[in-house]
Amino acid sequence: MTLNTIALELVPPNVDRGPQQAIEDARKVLQYSAAAGIGGRIEHVMMPGMIAEEDDRPVEMKPKLDVLDFWQTITPELPGVHGLCTQVTAFSDEPALSGRLRDLVDAGIEGVVFVGVPRTMQDGEGSGVAPTDALSIYREQVANRGVIMIPTREGEAGRFNFKCDQGATFALTQLLYSDAIVGFLTDFAKQNDHRPEILLSFGFVPKVENRIGLINWLIQDPGNAAVADEQAFVKTLANSEPAQRRKLMVDLYQRVIDGVAELGYPLSIHFEATYGVSAAAFETFAEMLDYWSPPATA
């Protein structure tokens, strides 16, 4: 079973802004997608279940509306759009996590990406269920079980192969600001038989990134030259005029699609506007989809 989709990341609003902000965000998605000529093309929203991370996060992490509450609030505003989410597993025991997943699936969430501890902790820390264990434990409960893929991370091929062995059906890539994913998936295809669905993730970079640096912070990996190159590209995007910024992102999209389309992986697209949805972001996404989009299901 593949998702075969175009997904848009929507972050639940801060609790203090309430459900009304969630409704306004959903309506903006309809407005901007229609204006950009891709009305009806967004088939899923990806809702991250966010937890507090490092103190140096450029934008303060305030309590967010729960993913389940957010989804139930925006569903009436987005007819025909389905739900995906990320779920932190490392702080929930099996009964609690099982109940949470049951609630998500019953609410119409079609896929769950299992994620672990924040970067301040080591893999395996946390009193709950490791994401790799969740992949196998909940095979029967969650049809589409996802993992995060970071193609520039050291040892990622072995890590990803293990996740596939455990039962991952799809991977959501970290935001892609280079075509490193092409070499990664090419090599992985030569060395492994697994062909999970890949949600290729592309993020719009507005000028405000120059001042705040949230995207730079999100993709950081100190000492990793490949990531340093991606951070430099993010800076170039932020410093570019809108037309040039759009051209640079579309060129990257084309290189990635051309490089991975024939490798045998089912492909979906995941778009993210890290600073919030905007007309400019949707214009860029629309131009990408003009080049390639997942084939429509019958």
Side-chain angles (χ1 to χ4, degrees):
M1 179 179 178
T2 57
L3 295 165
N4 194 61
T5 193
I6 300 164
L8 175 72
E9 182 143 324
L10 274 187
V11 177
N14 295 342
V15 169
D16 59 10
R17 303 184 76 173
Q20 187 56 41
Q21 181 65 52
I23 291 170
E24 290 175 12
D25 289 346
R27 290 175 178 171
K28 284 181 183 177
V29 170
L30 296 182
Q31 173 192 342
Y32 292 140
S33 57
I38 55 172
R41 300 285 299 282
I42 304 296
E43 299 165 75
H44 285 85
V45 290
M46 168 64 80
M47 300 163 288
M50 302 176 73
I51 60 173
E53 294 194 77
E54 297 97 317
D55 291 338
D56 66 341
R57 191 179 195 271
V59 177
E60 181 186 358
M61 178 71 78
K62 296 183 178 180
K64 301 285 185 184
L65 204 64
D66 181 73
V67 161
L68 191 56
D69 295 333
F70 179 53
W71 172 239
Q72 291 171 331
T73 300
I74 65 174
T75 296
E77 305 295 328
L78 298 171
V81 176
H82 306 286
L84 305 170
C85 71
T86 67
Q87 174 63 46
V88 177
T89 68
F91 305 109
S92 301
D93 60 22
E94 282 193 40
L97 186 56
S98 180
R100 171 66 170 181
L101 294 173
R102 186 183 309 112
D103 290 343
L104 291 171
V105 171
D106 288 349
I109 301 294
E110 293 190 340
V112 179
V113 179
F114 296 121
V115 297
V117 296
R119 285 180 291 202
T120 50
M121 301 173 68
Q122 297 295 317
D123 285 346
E125 288 192 82
S127 58
V129 180
T132 48
D133 292 336
L135 292 167
S136 57
I137 293 170
Y138 303 108
R139 278 177 187 258
E140 302 304 317
Q141 196 169 344
V142 181
N144 296 300
R145 299 171 304 282
V147 296
I148 300 295
M149 175 203 287
I150 304 176
T152 53
R153 183 166 56 178
E154 185 177 356
E156 188 72 350
R159 188 181 290 108
F160 185 47
N161 186 58
F162 179 66
K163 291 175 179 178
C164 292
D165 286 341
Q166 289 291 98
T169 64
F170 71 96
L172 174 65
T173 72
Q174 187 182 45
L175 286 170
L176 301 176
Y177 292 108
S178 75
D179 56 9
I181 186 73
V182 175
F184 178 87
L185 288 178
T186 300
D187 291 342
F188 190 85
K190 292 175 181 175
Q191 298 164 9
N192 302 279
D193 293 330
H194 294 298
R195 296 295 182 275
E197 185 168 10
I198 309 296
L199 272 67
L200 298 167
S201 186
F202 297 91
F204 179 73
V205 180
K207 190 174 290 292
V208 71
E209 168 67 15
N210 267 339
R211 179 169 56 85
I212 297 177
L214 179 58
I215 297 171
N216 182 79
W217 182 87
L218 288 169
I219 66 173
Q220 68 178 311
D221 188 3
N224 187 327
V227 174
D229 288 344
E230 293 186 339
Q231 290 174 309
F233 182 60
V234 168
K235 186 173 183 179
T236 296
L237 289 168
N239 283 323
S240 298
E241 293 303 313
Q244 177 65 6
R245 180 185 304 138
R246 188 160 60 247
K247 180 181 185 302
L248 289 170
M249 276 305 300
V250 173
D251 286 349
L252 171 62
Y253 183 81
Q254 292 176 349
R255 294 200 310 275
V256 170
I257 294 298
D258 290 348
V260 303
E262 304 301 324
L263 294 176
Y265 301 93
L267 298 177
S268 285
I269 299 298
H270 170 253
F271 289 133
E272 181 176 330
T274 308
Y275 292 93
V277 296
S278 66
F282 272 84
E283 289 164 4
T284 300
F285 299 155
E287 194 164 328
M288 291 174 169
L289 294 176
D290 280 345
Y291 183 75
W292 184 89
S293 64
T297 54

